[in-house]
Amino acid sequence: MSDTLRQHAEALYATELEELKKQDSGKRPHNWLLSPQAVVTYLIGGKLKNGFEVSPKYIGSKRLMEIAVATLATDRALLLYGLPGTAKSWVSEHLAAAVSGDSTRIVQGTAGTSEESIRYGWNYARLLAEGPSRQALVETPVMRAMQEGKIARIEELTRIGADVQDTLITILSEKTLPIPELNTEVQAAKGFNVIATANNRDKGVNELSSALKRRFNTVILPVPGTMEEEIDIVKRRVESFEKVMELPAEKPALEEIRRIVTIFRELRNGVTEDGKTKIKSPGGTLSTAEAISVVNSGLTLAAYFGDGRLTAADLAAGIIGAVVKDPVQDKLVWQEYLETVVKTRDEWKDVYRACRDLQ
């Protein structure tokens, strides 16, 4: 097993990608590792003709993945948009791994992301010693992706300032990156494209200009449609975490995962699963990603400070931490949910006691 804490998708799923490549008889766009149909199979999962099982990376609408993959085969970039925790970055990484065999050409968007992070920078020691030259240029992930004909990823695009965002317009429309200091340019090789992610909680932070919006095809990733879908996602991601961290703990009981997912879905939707009781929602998103984090945290507690078996007591702190972001408003919402919903469920008495004891 690798000592790397988190392997890139193309390394972690190298066997699946190699098997898909062997069995892939579809037409591949230039510089693509797999055909568009095989990329979708990699994302959605399925059984190949030789019986090999490909694990699902995205549990949800196959059509959404087909639209995303088809976009990357055109001259338009792809924007994955949705609530925090709806697997935008996860899908972006796996798309890049399956299309280019490389998910590492990435720019992390923040308020401090500069124009040089997207276009290019300079080795100032060399610049002062030699003057402007190709050797003094510091290539960005976007520039390298253009030269190699690969996918560049830009995370949290709307966290980047509007003036910096717009440096992408020439890259996406003309497929070139001008370098005026050297009186030259970098032209994108076939296969180059951009996948950006943005979450709608950042709406209004740094809105995309209309010119930039036109260069993207937007695919909205929804929260999991059903309880079973969400449970399956949490279960698979938690099993992956256990394997990497080599925890001395039992696999989490499906019932514990179901209870976490139920709590999150009910608080997120403002109504109990049976539709009978309306409840208030806290200010946080309570995404699937946060549910995964709560179970992972509980497993770690069970492994090192318990008997290795996941219990309600191991999960309680994580649940409260995920729900109560505002110590005043969210705490009131949580206490009301605890007393009116959790307390009334006979099979949830242990959850009620564990959470109440922490208040």
mmCIF file of all heavy atoms in Angstrom, residues 244-281:
data_model
loop_
_atom_site.group_PDB
_atom_site.id
_atom_site.type_symbol
_atom_site.label_atom_id
_atom_site.label_comp_id
_atom_site.label_asym_id
_atom_site.label_seq_id
_atom_site.Cartn_x
_atom_site.Cartn_y
_atom_site.Cartn_z
ATOM 1 N N VAL A 244 -7.380 3.604 3.527
ATOM 2 C CA VAL A 244 -6.192 4.455 3.448
ATOM 3 C C VAL A 244 -5.586 4.674 4.835
ATOM 4 O O VAL A 244 -4.369 4.613 5.016
ATOM 5 C CB VAL A 244 -6.544 5.818 2.798
ATOM 6 C CG1 VAL A 244 -5.387 6.801 2.944
ATOM 7 C CG2 VAL A 244 -6.885 5.626 1.325
ATOM 8 N N MET A 245 -6.446 4.930 5.829
ATOM 9 C CA MET A 245 -5.958 5.250 7.170
ATOM 10 C C MET A 245 -5.611 3.999 7.983
ATOM 11 O O MET A 245 -5.044 4.114 9.066
ATOM 12 C CB MET A 245 -7.016 6.078 7.932
ATOM 13 C CG MET A 245 -7.373 7.391 7.255
ATOM 14 S SD MET A 245 -5.957 8.459 6.908
ATOM 15 C CE MET A 245 -5.460 8.898 8.552
ATOM 16 N N GLU A 246 -5.972 2.814 7.453
ATOM 17 C CA GLU A 246 -5.674 1.541 8.127
ATOM 18 C C GLU A 246 -6.163 1.562 9.574
ATOM 19 O O GLU A 246 -5.437 1.222 10.521
ATOM 20 C CB GLU A 246 -4.173 1.246 8.068
ATOM 21 C CG GLU A 246 -3.633 1.148 6.647
ATOM 22 C CD GLU A 246 -2.125 0.911 6.597
ATOM 23 O OE1 GLU A 246 -1.512 0.697 7.657
ATOM 24 O OE2 GLU A 246 -1.569 0.940 5.485
ATOM 25 N N LEU A 247 -7.408 1.963 9.765
ATOM 26 C CA LEU A 247 -7.971 2.065 11.110
ATOM 27 C C LEU A 247 -8.238 0.683 11.712
ATOM 28 O O LEU A 247 -8.782 -0.193 11.041
ATOM 29 C CB LEU A 247 -9.289 2.844 11.079
ATOM 30 C CG LEU A 247 -9.211 4.339 10.803
ATOM 31 C CD1 LEU A 247 -10.608 4.936 10.776
ATOM 32 C CD2 LEU A 247 -8.371 5.044 11.845
ATOM 33 N N PRO A 248 -7.902 0.499 12.992
ATOM 34 C CA PRO A 248 -8.225 -0.765 13.669
ATOM 35 C C PRO A 248 -9.666 -0.758 14.155
ATOM 36 O O PRO A 248 -9.947 -0.863 15.348
ATOM 37 C CB PRO A 248 -7.232 -0.776 14.837
ATOM 38 C CG PRO A 248 -7.016 0.674 15.151
ATOM 39 C CD PRO A 248 -7.105 1.396 13.827
ATOM 40 N N ALA A 249 -10.580 -0.595 13.228
ATOM 41 C CA ALA A 249 -12.003 -0.508 13.569
ATOM 42 C C ALA A 249 -12.819 -1.384 12.649
ATOM 43 O O ALA A 249 -12.415 -1.702 11.535
ATOM 44 C CB ALA A 249 -12.481 0.943 13.461
ATOM 45 N N GLU A 250 -13.992 -1.781 13.151
ATOM 46 C CA GLU A 250 -14.909 -2.553 12.321
ATOM 47 C C GLU A 250 -15.505 -1.645 11.251
ATOM 48 O O GLU A 250 -15.547 -0.424 11.405
ATOM 49 C CB GLU A 250 -16.052 -3.108 13.183
ATOM 50 C CG GLU A 250 -15.619 -4.101 14.242
ATOM 51 C CD GLU A 250 -16.798 -4.558 15.093
ATOM 52 O OE1 GLU A 250 -17.950 -4.252 14.719
ATOM 53 O OE2 GLU A 250 -16.552 -5.205 16.123
ATOM 54 N N LYS A 251 -15.996 -2.258 10.179
ATOM 55 C CA LYS A 251 -16.719 -1.476 9.178
ATOM 56 C C LYS A 251 -17.951 -0.880 9.844
ATOM 57 O O LYS A 251 -18.598 -1.538 10.649
ATOM 58 C CB LYS A 251 -17.135 -2.358 7.997
ATOM 59 C CG LYS A 251 -15.992 -2.695 7.064
ATOM 60 C CD LYS A 251 -16.506 -3.388 5.816
ATOM 61 C CE LYS A 251 -15.348 -3.634 4.843
ATOM 62 N NZ LYS A 251 -15.799 -4.292 3.609
ATOM 63 N N PRO A 252 -18.283 0.378 9.524
ATOM 64 C CA PRO A 252 -19.446 0.977 10.178
ATOM 65 C C PRO A 252 -20.726 0.251 9.796
ATOM 66 O O PRO A 252 -20.926 -0.112 8.632
ATOM 67 C CB PRO A 252 -19.451 2.415 9.643
ATOM 68 C CG PRO A 252 -18.704 2.342 8.354
ATOM 69 C CD PRO A 252 -17.674 1.267 8.539
ATOM 70 N N ALA A 253 -21.579 0.023 10.797
ATOM 71 C CA ALA A 253 -22.868 -0.609 10.527
ATOM 72 C C ALA A 253 -23.682 0.312 9.624
ATOM 73 O O ALA A 253 -23.678 1.534 9.796
ATOM 74 C CB ALA A 253 -23.598 -0.868 11.836
ATOM 75 N N LEU A 254 -24.354 -0.289 8.657
ATOM 76 C CA LEU A 254 -25.157 0.491 7.715
ATOM 77 C C LEU A 254 -26.198 1.322 8.449
ATOM 78 O O LEU A 254 -26.540 2.428 8.023
ATOM 79 C CB LEU A 254 -25.833 -0.460 6.713
ATOM 80 C CG LEU A 254 -26.318 0.164 5.407
ATOM 81 C CD1 LEU A 254 -25.167 0.798 4.647
ATOM 82 C CD2 LEU A 254 -26.992 -0.889 4.540
ATOM 83 N N GLU A 255 -26.671 0.816 9.578
ATOM 84 C CA GLU A 255 -27.698 1.524 10.339
ATOM 85 C C GLU A 255 -27.179 2.851 10.887
ATOM 86 O O GLU A 255 -27.897 3.847 10.924
ATOM 87 C CB GLU A 255 -28.205 0.646 11.494
ATOM 88 C CG GLU A 255 -29.420 1.211 12.220
ATOM 89 C CD GLU A 255 -30.574 1.578 11.286
ATOM 90 O OE1 GLU A 255 -30.847 0.830 10.321
ATOM 91 O OE2 GLU A 255 -31.185 2.646 11.507
ATOM 92 N N GLU A 256 -25.897 2.878 11.293
ATOM 93 C CA GLU A 256 -25.330 4.130 11.805
ATOM 94 C C GLU A 256 -25.216 5.161 10.686
ATOM 95 O O GLU A 256 -25.500 6.344 10.877
ATOM 96 C CB GLU A 256 -23.958 3.884 12.438
ATOM 97 C CG GLU A 256 -23.979 3.031 13.684
ATOM 98 C CD GLU A 256 -24.805 3.637 14.813
ATOM 99 O OE1 GLU A 256 -25.132 4.837 14.767
ATOM 100 O OE2 GLU A 256 -25.146 2.892 15.741
ATOM 101 N N ILE A 257 -24.799 4.705 9.503
ATOM 102 C CA ILE A 257 -24.724 5.610 8.348
ATOM 103 C C ILE A 257 -26.111 6.115 7.989
ATOM 104 O O ILE A 257 -26.305 7.301 7.713
ATOM 105 C CB ILE A 257 -24.068 4.895 7.143
ATOM 106 C CG1 ILE A 257 -22.588 4.613 7.435
ATOM 107 C CG2 ILE A 257 -24.203 5.743 5.878
ATOM 108 C CD1 ILE A 257 -21.878 3.836 6.354
ATOM 109 N N ARG A 258 -27.102 5.233 8.052
ATOM 110 C CA ARG A 258 -28.478 5.625 7.724
ATOM 111 C C ARG A 258 -28.975 6.705 8.674
ATOM 112 O O ARG A 258 -29.650 7.656 8.264
ATOM 113 C CB ARG A 258 -29.395 4.399 7.773
ATOM 114 C CG ARG A 258 -30.848 4.692 7.393
ATOM 115 C CD ARG A 258 -31.690 3.435 7.365
ATOM 116 N NE ARG A 258 -31.286 2.561 6.284
ATOM 117 C CZ ARG A 258 -31.702 2.697 5.027
ATOM 118 N NH1 ARG A 258 -32.527 3.679 4.697
ATOM 119 N NH2 ARG A 258 -31.305 1.851 4.099
ATOM 120 N N ARG A 259 -28.635 6.590 9.946
ATOM 121 C CA ARG A 259 -29.104 7.586 10.911
ATOM 122 C C ARG A 259 -28.468 8.952 10.667
ATOM 123 O O ARG A 259 -29.146 9.981 10.735
ATOM 124 C CB ARG A 259 -28.818 7.101 12.349
ATOM 125 C CG ARG A 259 -29.656 5.877 12.713
ATOM 126 C CD ARG A 259 -29.797 5.673 14.194
ATOM 127 N NE ARG A 259 -28.579 5.234 14.861
ATOM 128 C CZ ARG A 259 -28.552 4.791 16.118
ATOM 129 N NH1 ARG A 259 -29.670 4.744 16.826
ATOM 130 N NH2 ARG A 259 -27.423 4.403 16.667
ATOM 131 N N ILE A 260 -27.169 8.951 10.372
ATOM 132 C CA ILE A 260 -26.488 10.224 10.063
ATOM 133 C C ILE A 260 -27.115 10.874 8.841
ATOM 134 O O ILE A 260 -27.427 12.066 8.832
ATOM 135 C CB ILE A 260 -24.986 9.981 9.804
ATOM 136 C CG1 ILE A 260 -24.279 9.472 11.054
ATOM 137 C CG2 ILE A 260 -24.313 11.267 9.306
ATOM 138 C CD1 ILE A 260 -24.216 10.466 12.175
ATOM 139 N N VAL A 261 -27.285 10.092 7.781
ATOM 140 C CA VAL A 261 -27.850 10.621 6.539
ATOM 141 C C VAL A 261 -29.273 11.131 6.767
ATOM 142 O O VAL A 261 -29.666 12.183 6.247
ATOM 143 C CB VAL A 261 -27.809 9.552 5.423
ATOM 144 C CG1 VAL A 261 -28.594 10.016 4.199
ATOM 145 C CG2 VAL A 261 -26.371 9.241 5.028
ATOM 146 N N THR A 262 -30.053 10.402 7.572
ATOM 147 C CA THR A 262 -31.426 10.820 7.874
ATOM 148 C C THR A 262 -31.435 12.166 8.586
ATOM 149 O O THR A 262 -32.199 13.074 8.229
ATOM 150 C CB THR A 262 -32.133 9.766 8.750
ATOM 151 O OG1 THR A 262 -32.173 8.523 8.054
ATOM 152 C CG2 THR A 262 -33.562 10.190 9.082
ATOM 153 N N ILE A 263 -30.589 12.315 9.595
ATOM 154 C CA ILE A 263 -30.504 13.591 10.336
ATOM 155 C C ILE A 263 -30.162 14.736 9.396
ATOM 156 O O ILE A 263 -30.803 15.787 9.407
ATOM 157 C CB ILE A 263 -29.458 13.483 11.470
ATOM 158 C CG1 ILE A 263 -29.962 12.546 12.577
ATOM 159 C CG2 ILE A 263 -29.142 14.869 12.047
ATOM 160 C CD1 ILE A 263 -28.909 12.165 13.600
ATOM 161 N N PHE A 264 -29.158 14.524 8.561
ATOM 162 C CA PHE A 264 -28.720 15.580 7.651
ATOM 163 C C PHE A 264 -29.798 15.919 6.625
ATOM 164 O O PHE A 264 -30.035 17.093 6.334
ATOM 165 C CB PHE A 264 -27.418 15.170 6.953
ATOM 166 C CG PHE A 264 -26.177 15.433 7.764
ATOM 167 C CD1 PHE A 264 -26.178 15.246 9.132
ATOM 168 C CD2 PHE A 264 -25.014 15.866 7.163
ATOM 169 C CE1 PHE A 264 -25.041 15.485 9.889
ATOM 170 C CE2 PHE A 264 -23.870 16.122 7.908
ATOM 171 C CZ PHE A 264 -23.885 15.932 9.275
ATOM 172 N N ARG A 265 -30.436 14.907 6.069
ATOM 173 C CA ARG A 265 -31.464 15.159 5.043
ATOM 174 C C ARG A 265 -32.671 15.879 5.642
ATOM 175 O O ARG A 265 -33.235 16.789 5.031
ATOM 176 C CB ARG A 265 -31.907 13.845 4.390
ATOM 177 C CG ARG A 265 -30.881 13.266 3.436
ATOM 178 C CD ARG A 265 -31.386 11.980 2.800
ATOM 179 N NE ARG A 265 -32.442 12.222 1.835
ATOM 180 C CZ ARG A 265 -32.236 12.488 0.548
ATOM 181 N NH1 ARG A 265 -31.004 12.565 0.078
ATOM 182 N NH2 ARG A 265 -33.245 12.674 -0.263
ATOM 183 N N GLU A 266 -33.070 15.472 6.834
ATOM 184 C CA GLU A 266 -34.244 16.099 7.457
ATOM 185 C C GLU A 266 -33.967 17.563 7.795
ATOM 186 O O GLU A 266 -34.801 18.436 7.523
ATOM 187 C CB GLU A 266 -34.639 15.314 8.710
ATOM 188 C CG GLU A 266 -35.257 13.961 8.375
ATOM 189 C CD GLU A 266 -35.709 13.180 9.594
ATOM 190 O OE1 GLU A 266 -35.148 13.403 10.696
ATOM 191 O OE2 GLU A 266 -36.611 12.340 9.456
ATOM 192 N N LEU A 267 -32.806 17.835 8.379
ATOM 193 C CA LEU A 267 -32.477 19.220 8.713
ATOM 194 C C LEU A 267 -32.264 20.059 7.457
ATOM 195 O O LEU A 267 -32.614 21.247 7.426
ATOM 196 C CB LEU A 267 -31.225 19.252 9.596
ATOM 197 C CG LEU A 267 -31.429 18.831 11.052
ATOM 198 C CD1 LEU A 267 -30.097 18.626 11.743
ATOM 199 C CD2 LEU A 267 -32.270 19.856 11.808
ATOM 200 N N ARG A 268 -31.708 19.451 6.432
ATOM 201 C CA ARG A 268 -31.463 20.151 5.164
ATOM 202 C C ARG A 268 -32.776 20.485 4.461
ATOM 203 O O ARG A 268 -32.947 21.576 3.908
ATOM 204 C CB ARG A 268 -30.612 19.247 4.265
ATOM 205 C CG ARG A 268 -29.974 19.922 3.085
ATOM 206 C CD ARG A 268 -28.893 19.026 2.508
ATOM 207 N NE ARG A 268 -29.396 17.786 1.955
ATOM 208 C CZ ARG A 268 -28.721 16.637 1.952
ATOM 209 N NH1 ARG A 268 -27.535 16.556 2.510
ATOM 210 N NH2 ARG A 268 -29.242 15.548 1.419
ATOM 211 N N ASN A 269 -33.719 19.538 4.490
ATOM 212 C CA ASN A 269 -34.990 19.692 3.763
ATOM 213 C C ASN A 269 -36.067 20.401 4.576
ATOM 214 O O ASN A 269 -37.098 20.799 4.035
ATOM 215 C CB ASN A 269 -35.510 18.329 3.312
ATOM 216 C CG ASN A 269 -34.579 17.645 2.327
ATOM 217 O OD1 ASN A 269 -33.848 18.315 1.594
ATOM 218 N ND2 ASN A 269 -34.588 16.321 2.296
ATOM 219 N N GLY A 270 -35.862 20.522 5.897
ATOM 220 C CA GLY A 270 -36.853 21.196 6.738
ATOM 221 C C GLY A 270 -38.092 20.385 7.015
ATOM 222 O O GLY A 270 -39.141 20.932 7.386
ATOM 223 N N VAL A 271 -37.999 19.071 6.839
ATOM 224 C CA VAL A 271 -39.145 18.192 7.086
ATOM 225 C C VAL A 271 -38.636 16.781 7.355
ATOM 226 O O VAL A 271 -37.591 16.383 6.829
ATOM 227 C CB VAL A 271 -40.123 18.208 5.881
ATOM 228 C CG1 VAL A 271 -39.469 17.610 4.635
ATOM 229 C CG2 VAL A 271 -41.430 17.485 6.201
ATOM 230 N N THR A 272 -39.338 16.025 8.192
ATOM 231 C CA THR A 272 -38.930 14.650 8.462
ATOM 232 C C THR A 272 -39.153 13.778 7.237
ATOM 233 O O THR A 272 -39.949 14.138 6.359
ATOM 234 C CB THR A 272 -39.703 14.069 9.668
ATOM 235 O OG1 THR A 272 -41.106 14.237 9.434
ATOM 236 C CG2 THR A 272 -39.313 14.753 10.960
ATOM 237 N N GLU A 273 -38.466 12.657 7.178
ATOM 238 C CA GLU A 273 -38.532 11.786 6.000
ATOM 239 C C GLU A 273 -39.945 11.295 5.698
ATOM 240 O O GLU A 273 -40.291 11.070 4.544
ATOM 241 C CB GLU A 273 -37.599 10.583 6.170
ATOM 242 C CG GLU A 273 -36.133 10.881 5.918
ATOM 243 C CD GLU A 273 -35.817 11.280 4.478
ATOM 244 O OE1 GLU A 273 -36.243 10.549 3.559
ATOM 245 O OE2 GLU A 273 -35.166 12.312 4.279
ATOM 246 N N ASP A 274 -40.766 11.141 6.723
ATOM 247 C CA ASP A 274 -42.148 10.691 6.487
ATOM 248 C C ASP A 274 -43.060 11.841 6.070
ATOM 249 O O ASP A 274 -44.240 11.644 5.754
ATOM 250 C CB ASP A 274 -42.717 9.980 7.722
ATOM 251 C CG ASP A 274 -42.718 10.868 8.974
ATOM 252 O OD1 ASP A 274 -42.510 12.088 8.848
ATOM 253 O OD2 ASP A 274 -42.923 10.323 10.082
ATOM 254 N N GLY A 275 -42.520 13.065 6.060
ATOM 255 C CA GLY A 275 -43.287 14.225 5.621
ATOM 256 C C GLY A 275 -44.288 14.749 6.626
ATOM 257 O O GLY A 275 -45.049 15.670 6.329
ATOM 258 N N LYS A 276 -44.293 14.207 7.844
ATOM 259 C CA LYS A 276 -45.318 14.567 8.829
ATOM 260 C C LYS A 276 -44.951 15.773 9.694
ATOM 261 O O LYS A 276 -45.827 16.467 10.195
ATOM 262 C CB LYS A 276 -45.603 13.357 9.733
ATOM 263 C CG LYS A 276 -46.274 12.198 9.006
ATOM 264 C CD LYS A 276 -46.518 11.035 9.958
ATOM 265 C CE LYS A 276 -47.193 9.876 9.220
ATOM 266 N NZ LYS A 276 -47.376 8.706 10.106
ATOM 267 N N THR A 277 -43.658 16.014 9.889
ATOM 268 C CA THR A 277 -43.257 17.078 10.810
ATOM 269 C C THR A 277 -42.331 18.073 10.130
ATOM 270 O O THR A 277 -41.283 17.690 9.601
ATOM 271 C CB THR A 277 -42.529 16.477 12.042
ATOM 272 O OG1 THR A 277 -43.331 15.447 12.610
ATOM 273 C CG2 THR A 277 -42.247 17.561 13.077
ATOM 274 N N LYS A 278 -42.733 19.338 10.161
ATOM 275 C CA LYS A 278 -41.867 20.388 9.639
ATOM 276 C C LYS A 278 -40.868 20.793 10.718
ATOM 277 O O LYS A 278 -41.231 20.884 11.893
ATOM 278 C CB LYS A 278 -42.690 21.602 9.195
ATOM 279 C CG LYS A 278 -43.460 21.373 7.902
ATOM 280 C CD LYS A 278 -44.075 22.654 7.389
ATOM 281 C CE LYS A 278 -44.759 22.429 6.044
ATOM 282 N NZ LYS A 278 -45.352 23.674 5.512
ATOM 283 N N ILE A 279 -39.640 21.019 10.304
ATOM 284 C CA ILE A 279 -38.603 21.408 11.256
ATOM 285 C C ILE A 279 -37.802 22.569 10.680
ATOM 286 O O ILE A 279 -37.803 22.799 9.468
ATOM 287 C CB ILE A 279 -37.663 20.213 11.579
ATOM 288 C CG1 ILE A 279 -37.186 19.545 10.298
ATOM 289 C CG2 ILE A 279 -38.302 19.235 12.504
ATOM 290 C CD1 ILE A 279 -36.339 18.321 10.497
ATOM 291 N N LYS A 280 -37.123 23.281 11.555
ATOM 292 C CA LYS A 280 -36.291 24.397 11.106
ATOM 293 C C LYS A 280 -34.959 23.866 10.595
ATOM 294 O O LYS A 280 -34.474 22.843 11.066
ATOM 295 C CB LYS A 280 -36.066 25.377 12.261
ATOM 296 C CG LYS A 280 -37.330 26.093 12.703
ATOM 297 C CD LYS A 280 -37.078 26.907 13.954
ATOM 298 C CE LYS A 280 -38.381 27.535 14.449
ATOM 299 N NZ LYS A 280 -38.202 28.162 15.779
ATOM 300 N N SER A 281 -34.376 24.601 9.641
ATOM 301 C CA SER A 281 -33.075 24.216 9.084
ATOM 302 C C SER A 281 -31.986 25.124 9.625
ATOM 303 O O SER A 281 -32.197 26.323 9.768
ATOM 304 C CB SER A 281 -33.101 24.315 7.558
ATOM 305 O OG SER A 281 -33.994 23.372 7.010
#
